[in-house]
Amino acid sequence: MSILTAIFQALFQAICIILPISENAHSAVFHDFSSRFGGENSALTGIIHIAVAVGIAVAMLKLFIRMINEFVFTIKDVVNKQAKANSQKPARQFMYNSLISLVPLLLWLIPCGSKGFLYTLLRSSQYNSTLLDEGIFMLITAGFLFAVIRVLTIKTNNKDITQLPAVVVGMVAFLIAPLGFSFIGVVFSVLLIFGIKTKQALNYTLYISVPVLLVKGIIELCTATVAMTVLQAIIAVVIAIVASFVLVRLLKYFVKNNLLSFLAWYDTAFGAVILVVGIFELIFR
C-alpha cells in the first residue's frame, strides 16, 4: 500500500502542479473528505515537490544551462567591475528579471513561532473545515485562463519580460503559491496579460517554478510530521521526474495548439462543484 501511495501521489502532484489545475486545491479536497483539517506536512509531499522541480529543469535543460552561464558570467563581470544592470542582452535580462520575481518568496522563510514558517502558516489556511475558498480560488484561476485565451485571440503578444511584470509576478507568486491557485496557471496568465511573448512567458513561468518548488519541498521536509520510507522516496522521485518531463511537453503542446480552454473549463467545473460543497460545509459545520 505504501508503494501505491507513492506512485499515485507522485503522479497526482506532477499533473496538478504543471497543468494549471491547482495542486493545493485538489490536496485540500482530499484532506477535507478524509477529515484531516490540520494540513500536516508530509515528507513524501516535500520530496515529490523537489523531484517535480528536477523534472521541469531536465525538460528545459538548455534554458537552465544558459541561465547558469549567464549567472556565472554576471559574477565574473561584477568581480571585474564590468557588470551593467541595464544590459541589453536578452538572456541577461531574462536572468535579472527572474531574480526580481524570486526575491518576494524569501518572505516565506519568516519564522512564525509554533506555526513554523510564514509559508506553512499561509498553507494551513487551506485546511479550515470548508472548501469554500478553494472553490473561489479555482474559479479565479479559470478566469485568468479565459482572460488569456481572449487576449491571444485579439492581439499578438510581442513584448519581452521587463522589471514591472517581473515585480508583479513576484508579488503574485508570494501570495498564491501556498493557496488554492495554480502557480503556473496564474503566473503564465499574468505575463500574457502584460503582453509578453507566449513562448517567453511559458519559459519564464516554468523557470521560476523550479526554485519555488525546491523551497516548498525543503520547507515541507524540514517541518514534516508524516514520515516516509526510503522505498517510497525512491519510487516517488523517479515517477515524479519522468511524469514532470512528459507533462512539460504536454503543457507546451496545449499552449502551442490553443487548447488551454479545456483546462479552463475543467477549473470552472471543478471549482464550481467544490464551491457548492464549501457553501454547504459553511452552513452545517
Side-chain angles (χ1 to χ4, degrees):
M1 181 61 71
S2 62
I3 295 176
L4 287 177
T5 299
I7 294 172
F8 285 116
Q9 188 169 336
L11 287 172
F12 163 79
Q13 286 184 231
I15 291 171
C16 292
I17 290 169
I18 295 174
L19 299 183
I21 58 175
S22 180
E23 176 206 8
N24 288 347
H26 286 78
S27 176
V29 170
F30 170 77
H31 282 81
D32 188 85
F33 283 99
S34 59
S35 298
R36 293 166 56 187
F37 302 121
E40 297 86 357
N41 280 331
S42 164
L44 187 60
T45 298
I47 201 70
I48 291 172
H49 279 145
I50 294 172
V52 171
V54 173
I56 294 173
V58 172
M60 305 185 67
L61 190 58
K62 289 183 179 180
L63 175 61
F64 275 84
I65 291 174
R66 190 173 183 184
M67 290 299 104
I68 291 171
N69 286 336
E70 286 299 327
F71 184 78
V72 171
F73 285 126
T74 299
I75 298 298
K76 182 179 178 181
D77 290 343
V78 170
V79 172
N80 295 329
K81 298 181 180 180
Q82 296 176 345
K84 295 180 180 179
N86 60 346
S87 170
Q88 298 302 310
K89 190 177 180 182
R92 186 70 59 91
Q93 283 296 315
F94 188 100
M95 186 202 67
Y96 285 157
N97 289 318
S98 66
L99 294 176
I100 290 172
S101 294
L102 293 173
V103 167
L105 306 188
L106 295 174
L107 298 174
W108 283 346
L109 302 177
I110 296 175
C112 293
S114 61
K115 296 294 184 179
F117 299 103
L118 179 58
Y119 171 80
T120 53
L121 177 62
L122 292 172
R123 180 178 177 274
S124 66
S125 66
Q126 294 179 82
Y127 309 106
N128 53 9
S129 303
T130 172
L131 293 173
L132 181 65
D133 47 350
E134 278 72 29
I136 294 172
F137 295 152
M138 285 287 289
L139 291 174
I140 292 174
T141 300
F144 270 108
L145 291 179
F146 280 123
V148 163
I149 293 166
R150 178 62 177 167
V151 165
L152 293 178
T153 59
I154 62 177
K155 70 174 185 178
T156 301
N157 285 33
N158 55 10
K159 297 179 182 178
D160 291 319
I161 185 77
T162 58
Q163 284 76 22
L164 177 59
V167 170
V168 173
V169 162
M171 297 307 300
V172 167
F174 165 74
L175 293 171
I176 68 169
L179 303 177
F181 294 92
S182 164
F183 177 88
I184 287 178
V186 174
V187 170
F188 179 57
S189 300
V190 168
L191 290 172
L192 288 185
I193 291 170
F194 267 101
I196 308 303
K197 298 172 184 174
T198 304
K199 182 178 179 180
Q200 185 178 124
L202 183 57
N203 286 341
Y204 190 87
T205 301
L206 291 169
Y207 179 73
I208 66 170
S209 73
V210 169
V212 170
L213 289 168
L214 288 175
V215 172
K216 289 175 68 173
I218 292 170
I219 291 175
E220 287 159 348
L221 284 175
C222 292
T223 60
T225 55
V226 181
M228 63 179 172
T229 66
V230 174
L231 183 59
Q232 274 185 313
I234 293 172
I235 291 173
V237 165
V238 171
I239 291 176
I241 290 175
V242 173
S244 300
F245 180 89
V246 173
L247 286 162
V248 167
R249 301 301 176 90
L250 180 62
L251 178 60
K252 289 183 175 182
Y253 176 83
F254 270 68
V255 172
K256 182 178 179 180
N257 292 278
N258 300 316
L259 299 176
L260 286 176
S261 58
F262 290 101
L263 299 174
W265 281 114
Y266 173 83
D267 285 346
T268 301
F270 187 74
V273 169
I274 62 176
L275 176 64
V276 172
V277 172
I279 292 172
F280 278 99
E281 289 175 337
L282 192 65
I283 294 172
F284 293 108
R285 282 184 177 171

